[in-house]
Amino acid sequence: MRMQTQPTASHFINGKYVEDTAGTPIEVIYPATGEVIATVHAATPAIIEQALEAAKTAQAGWAAMSGTERGRILRRAADIMRDRNHDLSILETFDTGKPYQETSVVDATSGADALEYFGGMAATLTGEHIQLGEDWVYTRREALGVCVGIGAWNYPTQIACWKGAPALACGNSVIFKPSETTPLCALKVAEILVEAGLPAGLYNVVQGLGEVGAALVTDPRVDKVSLTGSVPTGRKVYAAAAEGMKHVTMELGGKSPMIVFEDADIENAVSGAILGNFYSSGQVCSNGTRVFVHKDIKEAFLTRLSERLADAKIGDPMDPETSFGPMVSKQQMDIALGYIEKGRAEGARIVYGGEAIEGDGFYMQPCVFADVTDDMTIAREEIFGPVMAVLDFEDEADVMARANDTEFGLAAGVFTRDLTRAHRVVAGFEAGTCFINSYNDAPVEAPFGGVKASGVGRENSKAAIEHYSQVKSVYVRMGDVEAPF
Ligand code: NDP
């Protein structure tokens, strides 16, 4: 399959592609072969200024339009994205290395879902009326202004839409900086929004490394920052935003628990563990990488898991049969392989895989460790690769304490047939996004986000509106004003 939709320049500002070759070149590498497939240039100060000016200038007019008009444009963009799903999926596969089998059903489609959902919601965003005797208060739900989105590299189309759609629905303008590892997909989102009728300047994309993100975050014209990234980056960006008293959404990393009780349907629990550890080659923030399995079913679970993993088809991500692709970069593969070495050295037992695969591209086998204990590095740190840690447990109270004993709190899951236990366990999880007898579902209708070090705010659902708008309160006096003198 060929890339037919490659963007034509590095940045998208004020409704069109913009280039400035004075910026540091960033090579875009196809993870399946290691080949350079494109080069973009990091934003220079002049490009950053253009984007900020465009976003600031366009925002007021957009906010003044009715929600119905704004929403219509977003819904039209959703339709265009769905029509072009095939080409956008191929681009996503070139950008990330994720198999077409995944990208064709997850990336542009979930981006389109967000545009459709928030497009539909735009017309419903209202304030309220509060009667106080004959006086009254009304509230106006207003846009924040200029929103900066900064993305990670694992879901470049989805992240660009998850941030852009609610921001635009609420009347904001957006400047999005993709990860420098996957710069291409967000440009297509910008192009499609303009094609759908979005006025110029409202959705801009600028490329660059962390310093470009940092320059955007600290600019006084920016009112809100939404980051998807690691906890260390989140700490820096949150602190920089606080300096300017800006709104933030932080979607950060995790080390999420999945608990499999002795009464669980083992086949479903194995499916959940596969989805929650090996989809996108394990490069998913909400993955349930600490799989606590009850001692009574541990061996049955591991046996079935190994059998199922042997069915994974590792290879060319463009082949629709391929179900496990390369890592996004050599660097990310080396990080994951380094953790596997640590796991071995600290005494965990490899049950499956764990080796690099010789040849072109950044391929490694999925890896399952058993006999993992809570203090091991592979049970404490986010790996962001296909490395599952299986830990034993016998007692519910004990496993809950262990599940919550982490600085992170993004997601958590439980597999059991006991209804009461399922809800009790979920209530006890210190995590923002939970699953019962499932793992990693992320429909746009459901709030998504973390607690503790995993983040602040929520994406998707009605909850996202609170993070992209603010309420103005207006007191209306109907009679005379009484003053003390
Ligand atoms: P990073 O934290 O390295 O980077 C995230 C983004 O922030 C990148 O665009 C990066 O630019 C930018 N950035 C880095 N430093 C700064 C700075 N000082 N100021 C402003 N921007 C900056 O994360 P990764 O890209 O490596 O993504 C993996 C991480 O993302 C994992 O921890 C994962 O859990 C998390 N994640 C969280 C999700 C969630 O929704 N909770 C979803 C997906 C991933 P650049 O890299 O181009 O230099």
Side-chain angles (χ1 to χ4, degrees):
M1 288 194 239
R2 295 304 335 147
M3 180 162 43
Q4 287 164 355
T5 49
Q6 190 164 346
T8 55
S10 299
H11 318 286
F12 195 96
I13 299 173
N14 217 10
K16 53 185 189 306
Y17 279 105
V18 179
E19 191 55 90
D20 182 352
T21 52
T24 311
I26 299 170
E27 291 185 335
V28 187
I29 292 166
Y30 180 36
T33 60
E35 283 171 284
V36 176
I37 50 165
T39 301
V40 297
H41 294 269
T44 55
I47 286 285
I48 296 173
E49 182 56 31
Q50 269 185 46
L52 285 162
E53 253 328 284
K56 184 75 189 164
T57 307
Q59 190 264 324
W62 176 244
M65 281 166 66
S66 75
T68 307
E69 289 172 300
R70 289 199 299 269
R72 192 178 301 136
I73 292 169
L74 299 185
R75 285 185 287 108
R76 209 179 286 140
D79 290 342
I80 298 174
M81 281 191 83
R82 287 212 178 87
D83 287 348
R84 295 193 195 148
N85 183 47
H86 174 72
D87 286 351
L88 294 170
S89 303
I90 288 175
L91 187 68
E92 176 95 19
T93 292
F94 271 114
D95 228 0
T96 62
K98 290 185 292 181
Y100 178 80
Q101 190 187 88
E102 287 188 21
T103 57
S104 57
V105 295
V106 169
D107 295 279
T109 52
S110 66
D113 284 352
L115 290 164
E116 186 170 24
Y117 178 84
F118 288 107
M121 196 179 274
T124 72
L125 304 176
T126 56
E128 62 176 341
H129 167 101
I130 306 157
Q131 196 67 44
L132 299 163
E134 67 171 10
D135 291 355
W136 46 288
V137 167
Y138 70 95
T139 64
R140 292 166 49 91
R141 183 162 289 282
E142 297 186 345
L144 300 176
V146 177
C147 298
V148 163
I150 301 176
W153 40 258
N154 56 346
Y155 283 86
T157 304
Q158 184 187 78
I159 295 171
C161 293
W162 278 18
K163 298 191 188 307
L168 291 170
C170 291
N172 302 285
S173 60
V174 176
I175 304 173
F176 186 75
K177 189 207 83 69
S179 163
E180 106 264 7
T181 310
T182 53
L184 302 180
C185 296
L187 291 165
K188 298 308 285 187
V189 173
E191 199 186 307
I192 286 170
L193 280 163
V194 166
E195 196 179 327
L198 187 73
L202 290 165
Y203 191 93
N204 309 279
V205 177
V206 297
Q207 308 294 348
L209 286 88
E211 73 236 23
V212 171
L216 291 168
V217 171
T218 47
D219 192 277
R221 285 164 286 189
V222 170
D223 301 285
K224 187 210 161 110
V225 181
S226 177
L227 170 78
T228 297
S230 62
V231 172
T233 304
R235 288 206 170 93
K236 279 190 232 161
V237 172
Y238 198 176
E243 191 63 34
M245 211 58 82
K246 298 174 202 283
H247 298 255
V248 295
T249 299
M250 295 282 146
E251 292 291 351
L252 309 176
K255 189 76 195 175
S256 301
M258 176 187 299
I259 303 179
V260 184
F261 283 95
E262 66 280 15
D263 65 342
D265 178 316
I266 292 191
E267 202 61 24
N268 280 329
V270 167
S271 296
I274 288 172
L275 282 175
N277 280 272
F278 302 122
Y279 210 66
S280 302
S281 299
Q283 303 163 119
V284 179
C285 51
S286 48
N287 272 357
T289 47
R290 289 183 296 142
V291 182
F292 294 92
V293 183
H294 194 279
K295 269 200 165 143
D296 290 355
I297 57 162
K298 176 184 142 187
E299 287 311 324
F301 178 89
L302 290 173
T303 303
R304 193 62 194 121
L305 181 61
S306 299
E307 287 166 5
R308 296 271 301 272
L309 283 172
D311 289 339
K313 186 155 186 297
I314 306 177
D316 173 8
M318 294 297 176
D319 178 349
E321 296 299 314
T322 296
S323 54
F324 189 88
M327 301 294 286
V328 75
S329 62
K330 166 111 181 35
Q331 189 197 8
Q332 199 60 28
M333 182 171 80
D334 289 344
I335 290 172
L337 291 170
Y339 274 108
I340 291 172
E341 266 324 296
K342 272 193 195 135
R344 277 201 182 100
E346 292 178 17
R349 165 169 65 102
I350 292 216
V351 174
Y352 192 91
E355 302 291 335
I357 297 174
E358 291 297 316
D360 294 338
F362 315 127
Y363 284 93
M364 60 183 284
Q365 299 169 325
C367 176
V368 178
F369 277 105
D371 306 337
V372 178
T373 53
D374 297 331
D375 54 338
M376 290 181 185
T377 310
I378 56 167
R380 302 222 64 83
E381 296 182 12
E382 182 184 45
I383 298 174
F384 223 59
V387 186
M388 181 196 297
V390 177
L391 305 95
D392 306 348
F393 79 95
E394 284 180 287
D395 173 70
E396 181 183 320
D398 172 60
V399 76
M400 287 307 291
R402 292 166 62 201
N404 288 332
D405 181 20
T406 165
E407 65 163 330
F408 301 107
L410 184 54
V414 55
F415 279 84
T416 176
R417 286 194 176 98
D418 180 337
L419 190 66
T420 314
R421 174 157 64 188
H423 294 287
R424 185 172 61 236
V425 163
V426 158
F429 278 143
E430 294 170 4
T433 311
C434 294
F435 309 93
I436 295 177
N437 292 331
S438 190
Y439 207 87
N440 262 354
D441 315 75
V444 68
E445 297 88 345
F448 182 85
V451 301
K452 294 159 74 177
S454 291
V456 174
R458 291 292 175 269
E459 294 200 301
N460 287 342
S461 80
K462 286 181 255 181
I465 298 300
E466 297 302 324
H467 302 288
Y468 283 101
S469 62
Q470 57 197 341
V471 169
K472 179 182 278 173
S473 166
V474 183
Y475 191 103
V476 181
R477 185 174 293 282
M478 302 299 285
D480 294 334
V481 177
E482 277 182 36
F485 50 84

